[in-house]
Structure formats: C-alpha cells, structure tokens
C-alpha cells in the first residue's frame, strides 16, 4: 500500500463516528455492544483492556529493546504522543461517559463507574498508536504477521464498550488518532542510525532504566482491574528477564 494513502485510513473511523453523531444512534449501539460482549467472561475484557494501558503494553513490548529496538522506539514515541493527545483532549472536550448519562442498571459496568472525560478513549488511542508504530516501522516484507496487532487493538477498543467505560464514538476517534500517532512515530525513527540502537548505546540504556520503573508499577498498582493481576506478574517476569539479558549484552562486542 502506498504510504501516502495510509495516512487517509483514519478518516474511515472518523467518518463512522460522524455518522453515529448525526444519526443519534450511539446510545443504542453502545447498549447493544455492551450486552453482546457479555458472551465473554469479565477477565477476557479486562485482559484486552490491559493492552491499552500504557504500563501494561510497555511490559509486553519490553523485549523489543533487545530484538527490535527501532520498533520499540517507534512504539514509545507514538505512545507518548498519544498520551499528550489524550490528556489534552479529554478535559478540553469534557464529554460524559456512559455512567455519567445512563442509569446504573441499564448497562453492564465492570469496575468503578467513570463519569467524565469520554472522548477519545485513551486505551484505544494507546493500543492503536503502539500497534501502528510497530507495524509501520517494520520493513514491508516482515509485516504480514503483524496484522494481528490490529486485531488485538480492535478487541481492546471493543473492551472499552464491554466494560461500560466508553461510547463507540470514543473508541472510533481513539483508533483514528492512534493510527496517526503510529504513522508519525514510524517516520521519525527512520532517522535513527543503527549505531544509536545498539544495547551499549544511550537510547536503549535509558529504555532499560525505565524497565525498573515498570517493575515498580506492576508490583505496586492495579492496572485497570484486579483481573489483570496475573498479567502484571507475567509482565514483571518479562521485564525482569529482559533486563538480565540486557545487562549481559553490555559486555559482548557489538
């Protein structure tokens, strides 16, 4: 696909969002999705939500500091841009979430009710930004298997409706903005030289140091839902093993 055309892809979810807005069917669609999603257990949607948590997805991507540092840098840059957009737009737009509009018993809600700062969905924005960054920063011949990243991103977006945290429009806007974040980051990392990405170089070392902060967060906080505790333990193991391997690489000639 022509790279210039890829930049137009986010207009598809944005167009669907506008259709929802002007049709007045968003509440109806949310209630249907929220109910239909209950065919899966709570832990499944909680786990998908984990993929949209910045700390959660950083843990799962952490081994890339050794095996695909350029792609990890793209994901970190994209995720940072996404975080700035989310923190800026949410209070600026100030739209209510489902729990701030609908009666308590009219839809399924997992966890504490969130009332404000609906648009865009931060978890959806994060997961699509990382998925897009990883995908588009990878050389074209190696991308085929990476389409699964977008399947996971879509399920993460659906999870935000399933747990009662966001409207469908919040998810659509989050996905669009996330793809743009990933595209921007994937272009930026092309300017990085291979020598800057070696394990003994400053950039990977700074990322490795961030791994210690990641371990602290995973062990001291509940990321979104208690159902994710097992994933937090797995994430901690992934980060710890990667850090050990990273330290061992410091003494090897590059």
């Amino acid at each position: 696909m022509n790279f210039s055309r890829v930049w137009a892809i986010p207009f598809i979810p944005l167009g669907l969002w506008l259709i929802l807005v002007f049709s007045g069917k968003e509440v109806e669609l949310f209630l249907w999705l929220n109910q239909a999603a209950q065919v899966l257990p709570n832990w499944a949607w909680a786990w998908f939500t984990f993929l949209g948590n910045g700390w959660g997805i950083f843990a799962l991507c952490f081994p890339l500091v050794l095996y695909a540092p350029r792609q990890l840098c793209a994901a970190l840059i994209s995720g940072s841009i996404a975080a700035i957009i989310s923190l800026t737009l949410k209070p600026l737009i100030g739209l209510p979430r489902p729990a701030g509009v609908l009666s308590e018993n009219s839809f399924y809600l997992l966890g504490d009710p969130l009332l404000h700062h609906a648009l865009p969905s931060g978890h959806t924005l994060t997961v699509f930004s990382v998925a897009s960054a990883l995908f588009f920063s990878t050389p074209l011949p190696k991308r085929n298997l990476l389409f699964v990243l977008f399947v996971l991103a879509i399920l993460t977006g659906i999870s935000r409706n399933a747990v009662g945290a966001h409207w469908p429009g919040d998810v659509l806007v989050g996905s669009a903005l996330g793809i743009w974040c990933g595209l921007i980051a994937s272009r930026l990392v092309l300017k990085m030289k291979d020598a800057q990405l070696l394990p003994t170089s400053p950039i990977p070392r700074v990322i490795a140091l961030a791994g210690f902060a990641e371990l602290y967060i995973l062990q001291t906080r509940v990321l979104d839902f208690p159902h994710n505790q097992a994933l937090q333990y797995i994430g901690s193991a992934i980060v710890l093993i990667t850090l050990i391997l990273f330290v061992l690489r410091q003494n090897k000639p590059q």
Side-chain angles (χ1 to χ4, degrees):
M1 183 181 293
N2 187 293
F3 197 86
S4 61
R5 294 179 182 176
V6 173
W7 289 85
I9 289 177
F11 287 109
I12 297 174
L14 286 178
L16 294 173
W17 168 61
L18 289 175
I19 291 173
L20 275 179
V21 170
F22 288 108
S23 68
K25 298 291 185 179
E26 185 164 37
V27 173
E28 183 178 335
L29 178 59
F30 165 76
L31 292 172
W32 181 84
L33 286 171
N34 180 260
Q35 182 60 40
Q38 303 318 309
V39 297
L40 292 182
N42 289 340
W43 62 262
W45 294 121
W47 284 18
F48 283 125
T49 285
F50 184 83
L51 298 178
N53 186 293
W55 291 108
I57 200 166
F58 179 47
L60 299 179
C61 291
F62 196 69
L64 296 179
V65 72
L66 289 173
Y67 304 109
R70 189 179 302 277
Q71 284 69 31
L72 181 58
C73 286
L76 291 173
I77 293 170
S78 182
S80 298
I81 298 172
I84 293 171
I85 291 174
S86 180
L87 292 173
T88 302
L89 288 185
K90 280 177 176 287
L92 185 64
I93 298 175
L95 292 179
R97 296 178 187 244
V101 174
L102 304 176
S103 60
E104 183 178 349
N105 297 321
S106 63
F107 68 101
Y108 184 80
L109 180 66
L110 180 63
D112 297 329
L114 301 174
L115 306 179
H116 309 293
H117 300 164
L119 186 74
S121 164
H123 285 72
T124 308
L125 176 53
T126 297
V127 73
F128 269 93
S129 71
V130 171
S132 299
L134 293 176
F135 183 84
F136 291 111
S137 63
T138 298
L140 191 58
K142 300 180 180 180
R143 287 181 188 173
N144 290 339
L145 294 178
L146 295 183
F147 277 106
V148 70
L149 295 175
F150 292 104
V151 175
L152 294 173
I154 290 170
L155 289 170
T156 300
I158 294 174
S159 77
R160 303 308 289 156
N161 298 147
V163 302
H166 279 287
W167 305 103
D170 304 338
V171 171
L172 290 170
V173 173
S175 66
L177 296 177
I179 293 172
W180 274 324
C181 290
L183 286 168
I184 292 170
S186 67
R187 300 303 288 177
L188 290 175
V189 297
L190 291 178
K191 302 179 183 297
M192 300 177 69
K193 298 178 180 179
D194 291 341
Q196 294 177 298
L197 300 170
L198 296 173
T200 52
S201 299
I203 293 175
R205 285 178 171 177
V206 170
I207 295 174
L209 286 175
F212 290 100
E214 174 72 20
L215 285 174
Y216 175 79
I217 295 296
L218 290 173
Q219 293 301 311
T220 59
R221 295 187 185 178
V222 175
L223 300 186
D224 296 308
F225 303 109
H227 307 74
N228 290 335
Q229 194 65 61
L231 286 181
Q232 292 184 221
Y233 290 141
I234 293 172
S236 296
I238 291 173
V239 173
L240 183 58
I241 292 171
T242 303
L243 284 173
I244 293 172
L245 294 175
F246 186 86
V247 170
L248 294 176
R249 287 276 187 97
Q250 300 304 299
N251 298 321
K252 287 187 177 182
Q254 302 299 323

